[in-house]
Amino acid sequence: MNILRAAIFHTPRNPFLAANALVSYADGALAIENGKVAACGDYSSVAKAHPDAAVRDLRGGYILPGFIDSHVHFPQVRILGGLGYGLLDWLEQLTLPEEARLADAAYASSIAQEFVAALAAHGTTTALAFGSHFAGATAALFTAAEERGLRIFSGLVLSDRLLRPELHQAPDAAYRDSKELIERFGPLRYAVTPRFAFSASEAILSVCQALVRENPSLLFTTHINESGQEIEQVARLFPSAADYLAVYERFDLIGTRSVLAHNVHPCTGELQRLAARGATIAHCPCSNAALGSGIFPMQRHIEANVRFALGTDVGGGTGFGMLKEGLQAYLMQRVASEPITLSPAQMLYLATRAGAEALRIEDQTGDFETGKAADLVYLRPPENSVLAGVLKGLESSERIIAALFTLAGTESVGAVHVDGHAIVDRRD
Ligand SMILES: [Zn+2]
C-alpha cells in the first residue's frame, strides 16, 4: 500500500443538490492499493490505520480527482486557435479539411499520440472523445489510449451527407466498421457517434439505432442545439420532427447513456424530455464563446433537472484544460441572462464527478470514495509563480480551489495517475 500525503479535495456528492458536498483535508492522505482508493482522510488517522504503508510526502500541492472531459474531438488537435468563425463556417473551412487528413494511417496515428499526451498533460484521466470518420484512425485512438493508460471512450463518427464526400459513409459500411471496432476494443469503452443530425440521414440514424439496440451497454454521443443556423438547417432537413431532440428520439437514441454536446438553445419541451430520459448535456463554455454559439442556459437546465458535465470541445474550444473550462463556465454564468455564481465545489464537481456520472462510471471513478480507481491529478504551482504567491496563506478550501481554477495550467500539473499508475510525473 502507498499513501500520498497532500491537501486533498473531492466532491463525492452533487453540490447542486447537497450542502457540504465538498470534502477537503488540509493535511490529507490518499491510501492506494492495487490501483484503487483504500482510504482517503486526514493524514494522521489514515497513517495510523495503515502503519506499514509507504508514504510519499507531496505537501505543498493539492490532490484532486482526475479530470473527466465529457466532450472532445480527437481529430481536431491541430485546428485549435482557429478563431473568427461561426460553427458551420468553421466546420467547412478549418475542421473538415483537417478531419479528412486522418484517412492517412500514419498521420492519424501521430495525431492520436498528440491527443492522448495533451489530455494527460492537462490532468484529464477520462474522456468521451469523438473518434474519426475513418475506422483506422478511430482504432489508432483506442490503441494510443490503451498504451498511455488513459480511460478513453470513443467511437467511429458517422455521417452520410453535407460534409465532404470523403467523410461520408454508406450505411452498410458504417454498420460493419462500427461492429468491427466494438468487437476489437470491446463494448465497455464504445460510444455510437453520429456527428450531428445535420450530417446524418435517416439511414445513418437507423444504423445508430441498430447498434445501440444490439448492445445496450454502449454509450451514445452527438451534438444538439449548438448554433442558431445549425438548428434552422436541422429543422429544414427533418420537417416532421417537432424539435432537434425529437430527431434522435425517433431512433430511440436518448436515454441514461446519452451524452449530448452543447444544448445552448433548447426549448422547454426538450429540457423536460432530457430530464425524463436521464440524458446528460456536455457543457462546453469555451467553445460556445469562441464560435459565438451563445451562453448555455444553466439555470434552465438546473430547474428542469437536466444533468450536465463539462467538456473542452477541442478544437471548437480553446484547449484541453478542464480547469480553464470550469473557469469559463463560471465567467459566462456570471453574465448569463439568468445569472448563476458557481461555487468552487460546483466547478470541481463539474470537472470530475459529473463527468463520471455522465459516462455512468461514477461507481468506478470521479471521486476518492473507498474502492474507486485511484485516478488523480496532483497540482503544485511552480515556485515564484503568481499562483504560488496567491496560495500562500490561503486556508479556505473554497478559496484555494477557486485560485487553482483561475490560475493553474499545465505548468502546475505535477503528476497524473490512472488506476494508481503515474501517466505523468514531473516531480524531480
Ligand atoms: Zn463537439
Side-chain angles (χ1 to χ4, degrees):
M1 180 181 290
N2 290 301
I3 288 178
L4 305 181
R5 182 178 188 180
I8 297 175
F9 305 116
H10 69 135
T11 50
R13 292 175 295 281
N14 180 343
F16 289 91
L17 302 174
N20 305 318
L22 176 65
V23 174
S24 56
Y25 303 101
D27 183 10
L30 190 67
I32 300 170
E33 193 165 44
N34 300 323
K36 302 229 183 299
V37 175
C40 178
D42 281 319
Y43 175 74
S44 58
S45 57
V46 174
K48 202 192 248 174
H50 303 284
D52 299 330
V55 177
R56 199 159 146 193
D57 191 343
L58 297 171
R59 280 178 291 175
Y62 308 87
I63 295 174
L64 277 52
F67 301 128
I68 300 180
D69 189 338
S70 66
H71 183 72
V72 58
H73 293 255
F74 134 65
Q76 297 180 11
V77 184
R78 294 207 183 166
I79 52 155
L80 276 166
L83 302 179
Y85 297 88
L87 172 65
L88 297 180
D89 293 347
W90 172 82
L91 280 172
E92 188 186 320
Q93 293 179 44
L94 290 189
T95 310
L96 300 179
E98 172 66 13
E99 295 212 13
R101 287 185 197 112
L102 273 80
D104 179 316
Y107 185 68
S109 175
S110 69
I111 294 295
Q113 306 287 340
E114 281 180 31
F115 179 75
V116 296
L119 288 169
H122 287 78
T124 297
T125 52
T126 297
L128 173 56
F130 262 56
S132 161
H133 290 272
F134 304 105
T138 305
L141 172 61
F142 278 117
T143 302
E146 270 178 20
E147 284 169 4
R148 184 80 195 203
L150 274 174
R151 215 180 278 289
I152 296 283
F153 296 73
S154 190
L156 181 67
V157 182
L158 304 178
S159 286
D160 64 347
R161 65 179 176 192
L162 296 172
L163 299 180
R164 298 160 67 90
E166 61 268 45
L167 298 179
H168 298 159
Q169 300 113 330
D172 56 343
Y175 179 78
R176 187 196 60 225
D177 288 351
S178 300
K179 290 285 278 186
E180 279 178 14
L181 286 166
I182 293 165
E183 271 161 34
R184 182 167 164 199
F185 295 102
L188 293 180
R189 298 277 173 92
Y190 199 86
V192 174
T193 312
R195 187 170 195 119
F196 57 160
F198 178 89
S199 68
S201 75
E202 297 181 346
I204 281 284
L205 293 170
S206 297
V207 167
C208 297
Q209 182 180 30
L211 291 167
V212 169
R213 187 174 284 164
E214 287 165 18
N215 202 333
S217 66
L218 301 181
L219 292 172
F220 172 79
T221 192
T222 189
H223 297 94
I224 192 166
N225 288 325
E226 182 172 1
S227 83
Q229 239 189 344
E230 168 222 15
I231 295 164
E232 273 171 34
Q233 292 295 329
V234 168
R236 190 179 56 76
L237 290 162
F238 295 92
S240 64
D243 50 44
Y244 202 142
L245 182 65
V247 175
Y248 299 131
E249 285 175 317
R250 201 181 121 207
F251 296 90
D252 301 323
L253 296 171
I254 304 301
T256 55
R257 306 184 70 76
S258 309
V259 180
L260 309 173
H262 305 307
N263 211 32
V264 176
H265 308 284
C267 62
T268 303
E270 288 175 306
L271 289 171
Q272 288 167 348
R273 278 146 47 217
L274 286 165
R277 296 182 190 285
T280 305
I281 299 302
H283 169 40
C284 309
C286 287
S287 169
N288 296 161
L291 292 171
S293 301
I295 297 183
F296 178 67
M298 189 179 285
Q299 183 61 37
R300 289 176 63 211
H301 283 71
I302 292 170
E303 282 167 10
N305 281 321
V306 180
R307 313 155 66 92
F308 54 94
L310 271 185
T312 60
D313 198 22
V314 165
T318 59
F320 287 86
M322 287 293 288
L323 292 167
K324 181 168 75 167
E325 208 64 46
L327 175 67
Q328 183 75 6
Y330 172 88
L331 296 173
M332 288 176 76
Q333 292 308 314
R334 288 287 277 173
V335 297
S337 62
E338 293 183 83
I340 295 177
T341 303
L342 286 174
S343 70
Q346 288 168 334
M347 293 160 74
L348 179 60
Y349 165 79
L350 287 174
T352 58
R353 169 144 183 139
E357 291 173 359
L359 306 183
R360 300 287 155 176
I361 51 170
E362 70 273 18
D363 59 337
Q364 299 166 40
T365 188
D367 61 58
F368 296 136
E369 286 190 316
T370 303
K372 292 200 179 169
D375 293 356
L376 64 94
V377 54
Y378 173 65
L379 298 175
R380 182 168 194 157
E383 274 178 51
N384 303 321
S385 63
V386 171
L387 177 55
V390 168
L391 290 165
K392 257 179 213 149
L394 277 190
E395 287 183 7
S396 143
S397 299
E398 285 80 6
R399 289 282 306 278
I400 292 168
I401 294 168
L404 293 173
F405 270 92
T406 306
L407 291 165
T410 50
E411 75 294 333
S412 296
V413 174
V416 183
H417 293 203
V418 178
D419 287 326
H421 295 290
I423 59 168
V424 172
D425 196 341
R426 296 212 190 96
R427 289 170 324 98
D428 301 309

Short mmCIF file of all heavy atoms in Angstrom, two decimals, residues 91-123:
data_model
loop_
_atom_site.label_atom_id
_atom_site.label_comp_id
_atom_site.label_asym_id
_atom_site.label_seq_id
_atom_site.Cartn_x
_atom_site.Cartn_y
_atom_site.Cartn_z
N LEU A 91 -16.57 24.57 -39.50
CA LEU A 91 -16.53 23.17 -39.95
C LEU A 91 -16.01 23.10 -41.38
O LEU A 91 -15.09 22.34 -41.69
CB LEU A 91 -17.93 22.55 -39.87
CG LEU A 91 -18.40 22.08 -38.50
CD1 LEU A 91 -19.87 21.68 -38.55
CD2 LEU A 91 -17.56 20.91 -38.00
N GLU A 92 -16.62 23.90 -42.24
CA GLU A 92 -16.31 23.79 -43.66
C GLU A 92 -14.88 24.22 -43.97
O GLU A 92 -14.17 23.57 -44.73
CB GLU A 92 -17.31 24.66 -44.44
CG GLU A 92 -17.23 24.48 -45.93
CD GLU A 92 -18.14 25.47 -46.65
OE1 GLU A 92 -19.27 25.70 -46.17
OE2 GLU A 92 -17.70 26.00 -47.68
N GLN A 93 -14.46 25.32 -43.35
CA GLN A 93 -13.16 25.90 -43.76
C GLN A 93 -11.97 25.35 -43.00
O GLN A 93 -10.89 25.21 -43.56
CB GLN A 93 -13.23 27.42 -43.62
CG GLN A 93 -14.22 28.00 -44.63
CD GLN A 93 -14.35 29.50 -44.52
OE1 GLN A 93 -13.36 30.20 -44.39
NE2 GLN A 93 -15.57 29.99 -44.53
N LEU A 94 -12.13 25.03 -41.73
CA LEU A 94 -10.98 24.57 -40.94
C LEU A 94 -11.06 23.09 -40.59
O LEU A 94 -10.09 22.35 -40.75
CB LEU A 94 -10.90 25.32 -39.60
CG LEU A 94 -10.53 26.79 -39.58
CD1 LEU A 94 -10.31 27.23 -38.15
CD2 LEU A 94 -9.28 27.03 -40.40
N THR A 95 -12.20 22.68 -40.06
CA THR A 95 -12.26 21.42 -39.35
C THR A 95 -12.35 20.21 -40.28
O THR A 95 -11.59 19.25 -40.13
CB THR A 95 -13.49 21.45 -38.42
OG1 THR A 95 -13.42 22.66 -37.70
CG2 THR A 95 -13.48 20.29 -37.46
N LEU A 96 -13.29 20.27 -41.22
CA LEU A 96 -13.50 19.09 -42.06
C LEU A 96 -12.28 18.80 -42.95
O LEU A 96 -11.91 17.64 -43.11
CB LEU A 96 -14.80 19.23 -42.86
CG LEU A 96 -16.04 19.37 -41.95
CD1 LEU A 96 -17.30 19.54 -42.79
CD2 LEU A 96 -16.18 18.20 -40.99
N PRO A 97 -11.60 19.83 -43.52
CA PRO A 97 -10.38 19.52 -44.27
C PRO A 97 -9.33 18.80 -43.40
O PRO A 97 -8.67 17.87 -43.86
CB PRO A 97 -9.87 20.90 -44.72
CG PRO A 97 -11.10 21.77 -44.72
CD PRO A 97 -11.97 21.25 -43.62
N GLU A 98 -9.20 19.22 -42.15
CA GLU A 98 -8.24 18.55 -41.27
C GLU A 98 -8.71 17.13 -40.95
O GLU A 98 -7.92 16.18 -40.94
CB GLU A 98 -8.07 19.36 -39.97
CG GLU A 98 -7.25 18.69 -38.88
CD GLU A 98 -5.78 18.47 -39.25
OE1 GLU A 98 -5.31 19.05 -40.25
OE2 GLU A 98 -5.10 17.71 -38.51
N GLU A 99 -10.00 16.97 -40.69
CA GLU A 99 -10.51 15.62 -40.37
C GLU A 99 -10.31 14.66 -41.54
O GLU A 99 -10.11 13.46 -41.34
CB GLU A 99 -11.97 15.68 -39.92
CG GLU A 99 -12.12 16.46 -38.61
CD GLU A 99 -13.24 15.97 -37.71
OE1 GLU A 99 -13.78 14.88 -37.96
OE2 GLU A 99 -13.56 16.70 -36.75
N ALA A 100 -10.38 15.21 -42.77
CA ALA A 100 -10.17 14.36 -43.95
C ALA A 100 -8.73 13.84 -44.01
O ALA A 100 -8.48 12.76 -44.55
CB ALA A 100 -10.50 15.15 -45.22
N ARG A 101 -7.80 14.57 -43.42
CA ARG A 101 -6.39 14.13 -43.45
C ARG A 101 -6.18 12.85 -42.64
O ARG A 101 -5.18 12.17 -42.80
CB ARG A 101 -5.48 15.22 -42.90
CG ARG A 101 -5.33 16.35 -43.87
CD ARG A 101 -4.34 17.43 -43.44
NE ARG A 101 -4.63 18.59 -44.27
CZ ARG A 101 -5.15 19.74 -43.83
NH1 ARG A 101 -5.33 19.94 -42.55
NH2 ARG A 101 -5.45 20.70 -44.66
N LEU A 102 -7.13 12.52 -41.76
CA LEU A 102 -6.95 11.32 -40.95
C LEU A 102 -7.21 10.03 -41.71
O LEU A 102 -7.11 8.94 -41.15
CB LEU A 102 -7.79 11.40 -39.67
CG LEU A 102 -7.03 12.13 -38.55
CD1 LEU A 102 -7.11 13.63 -38.72
CD2 LEU A 102 -7.50 11.71 -37.20
N ALA A 103 -7.52 10.15 -43.02
CA ALA A 103 -7.56 8.95 -43.87
C ALA A 103 -6.17 8.31 -43.94
O ALA A 103 -6.04 7.11 -44.15
CB ALA A 103 -8.05 9.32 -45.26
N ASP A 104 -5.15 9.13 -43.76
CA ASP A 104 -3.76 8.66 -43.79
C ASP A 104 -3.42 8.03 -42.43
O ASP A 104 -3.44 8.71 -41.40
CB ASP A 104 -2.86 9.87 -44.08
CG ASP A 104 -1.38 9.51 -44.11
OD1 ASP A 104 -0.91 8.75 -43.22
OD2 ASP A 104 -0.69 10.00 -45.00
N ALA A 105 -3.13 6.73 -42.45
CA ALA A 105 -2.96 5.99 -41.19
C ALA A 105 -1.80 6.53 -40.35
O ALA A 105 -1.91 6.64 -39.12
CB ALA A 105 -2.74 4.51 -41.48
N ALA A 106 -0.71 6.89 -41.00
CA ALA A 106 0.45 7.37 -40.24
C ALA A 106 0.15 8.71 -39.60
O ALA A 106 0.49 8.96 -38.43
CB ALA A 106 1.67 7.49 -41.17
N TYR A 107 -0.53 9.57 -40.35
CA TYR A 107 -0.90 10.88 -39.79
C TYR A 107 -1.88 10.70 -38.63
O TYR A 107 -1.73 11.31 -37.57
CB TYR A 107 -1.53 11.75 -40.89
CG TYR A 107 -1.84 13.16 -40.43
CD1 TYR A 107 -0.81 14.05 -40.11
CD2 TYR A 107 -3.16 13.60 -40.30
CE1 TYR A 107 -1.09 15.33 -39.68
CE2 TYR A 107 -3.45 14.88 -39.86
CZ TYR A 107 -2.40 15.75 -39.55
OH TYR A 107 -2.69 17.02 -39.11
N ALA A 108 -2.87 9.82 -38.83
CA ALA A 108 -3.87 9.58 -37.77
C ALA A 108 -3.20 9.07 -36.50
O ALA A 108 -3.54 9.49 -35.39
CB ALA A 108 -4.90 8.57 -38.26
N SER A 109 -2.23 8.21 -36.67
CA SER A 109 -1.55 7.65 -35.51
C SER A 109 -0.77 8.74 -34.75
O SER A 109 -0.79 8.79 -33.52
CB SER A 109 -0.64 6.53 -35.98
OG SER A 109 0.10 6.06 -34.93
N SER A 110 -0.13 9.64 -35.50
CA SER A 110 0.63 10.71 -34.82
C SER A 110 -0.32 11.68 -34.11
O SER A 110 -0.03 12.14 -33.00
CB SER A 110 1.55 11.45 -35.81
OG SER A 110 0.78 12.20 -36.71
N ILE A 111 -1.48 11.94 -34.71
CA ILE A 111 -2.46 12.82 -34.06
C ILE A 111 -3.02 12.15 -32.80
O ILE A 111 -3.23 12.80 -31.77
CB ILE A 111 -3.60 13.18 -35.04
CG1 ILE A 111 -3.06 14.02 -36.19
CG2 ILE A 111 -4.73 13.93 -34.33
CD1 ILE A 111 -2.53 15.38 -35.82
N ALA A 112 -3.23 10.83 -32.88
CA ALA A 112 -3.73 10.11 -31.70
C ALA A 112 -2.74 10.22 -30.54
O ALA A 112 -3.14 10.42 -29.38
CB ALA A 112 -3.99 8.64 -32.05
N GLN A 113 -1.45 10.12 -30.86
CA GLN A 113 -0.42 10.25 -29.81
C GLN A 113 -0.45 11.66 -29.20
O GLN A 113 -0.39 11.83 -27.98
CB GLN A 113 0.99 10.01 -30.37
CG GLN A 113 1.17 8.71 -31.11
CD GLN A 113 1.21 7.51 -30.19
OE1 GLN A 113 1.47 7.66 -29.01
NE2 GLN A 113 0.92 6.35 -30.71
N GLU A 114 -0.53 12.66 -30.08
CA GLU A 114 -0.59 14.04 -29.59
C GLU A 114 -1.80 14.26 -28.70
O GLU A 114 -1.73 14.94 -27.68
CB GLU A 114 -0.71 15.03 -30.78
CG GLU A 114 0.59 15.31 -31.49
CD GLU A 114 0.39 16.30 -32.64
OE1 GLU A 114 -0.50 17.19 -32.57
OE2 GLU A 114 1.12 16.17 -33.61
N PHE A 115 -2.92 13.68 -29.12
CA PHE A 115 -4.18 13.89 -28.41
C PHE A 115 -4.11 13.29 -27.01
O PHE A 115 -4.43 13.98 -26.02
CB PHE A 115 -5.30 13.24 -29.23
CG PHE A 115 -6.66 13.34 -28.61
CD1 PHE A 115 -7.37 14.53 -28.62
CD2 PHE A 115 -7.25 12.22 -28.03
CE1 PHE A 115 -8.64 14.62 -28.06
CE2 PHE A 115 -8.52 12.29 -27.47
CZ PHE A 115 -9.21 13.50 -27.48
N VAL A 116 -3.69 12.05 -26.88
CA VAL A 116 -3.69 11.45 -25.54
C VAL A 116 -2.62 12.10 -24.67
O VAL A 116 -2.81 12.26 -23.46
CB VAL A 116 -3.53 9.91 -25.57
CG1 VAL A 116 -4.72 9.26 -26.24
CG2 VAL A 116 -2.24 9.48 -26.22
N ALA A 117 -1.50 12.51 -25.27
CA ALA A 117 -0.47 13.19 -24.49
C ALA A 117 -1.00 14.52 -23.95
O ALA A 117 -0.73 14.90 -22.81
CB ALA A 117 0.78 13.42 -25.34
N ALA A 118 -1.78 15.22 -24.77
CA ALA A 118 -2.32 16.51 -24.34
C ALA A 118 -3.34 16.34 -23.21
O ALA A 118 -3.34 17.10 -22.24
CB ALA A 118 -2.96 17.23 -25.53
N LEU A 119 -4.20 15.35 -23.33
CA LEU A 119 -5.16 15.10 -22.24
C LEU A 119 -4.40 14.85 -20.93
O LEU A 119 -4.69 15.45 -19.89
CB LEU A 119 -6.03 13.88 -22.56
CG LEU A 119 -7.09 14.06 -23.67
CD1 LEU A 119 -7.67 12.70 -24.04
CD2 LEU A 119 -8.20 15.00 -23.23
N ALA A 120 -3.42 13.94 -20.99
CA ALA A 120 -2.68 13.58 -19.78
C ALA A 120 -1.96 14.79 -19.19
O ALA A 120 -2.00 15.03 -17.98
CB ALA A 120 -1.69 12.47 -20.09
N ALA A 121 -1.35 15.59 -20.05
CA ALA A 121 -0.57 16.74 -19.58
C ALA A 121 -1.45 17.75 -18.84
O ALA A 121 -0.97 18.50 -17.99
CB ALA A 121 0.12 17.43 -20.75
N HIS A 122 -2.73 17.77 -19.17
CA HIS A 122 -3.66 18.70 -18.52
C HIS A 122 -4.37 18.09 -17.32
O HIS A 122 -5.26 18.73 -16.75
CB HIS A 122 -4.69 19.20 -19.53
CG HIS A 122 -4.13 20.19 -20.52
ND1 HIS A 122 -3.37 19.79 -21.61
CD2 HIS A 122 -4.19 21.54 -20.58
CE1 HIS A 122 -3.00 20.87 -22.29
NE2 HIS A 122 -3.47 21.94 -21.69
N GLY A 123 -4.04 16.87 -16.98
CA GLY A 123 -4.65 16.26 -15.78
C GLY A 123 -5.95 15.53 -16.06
O GLY A 123 -6.67 15.15 -15.13
#
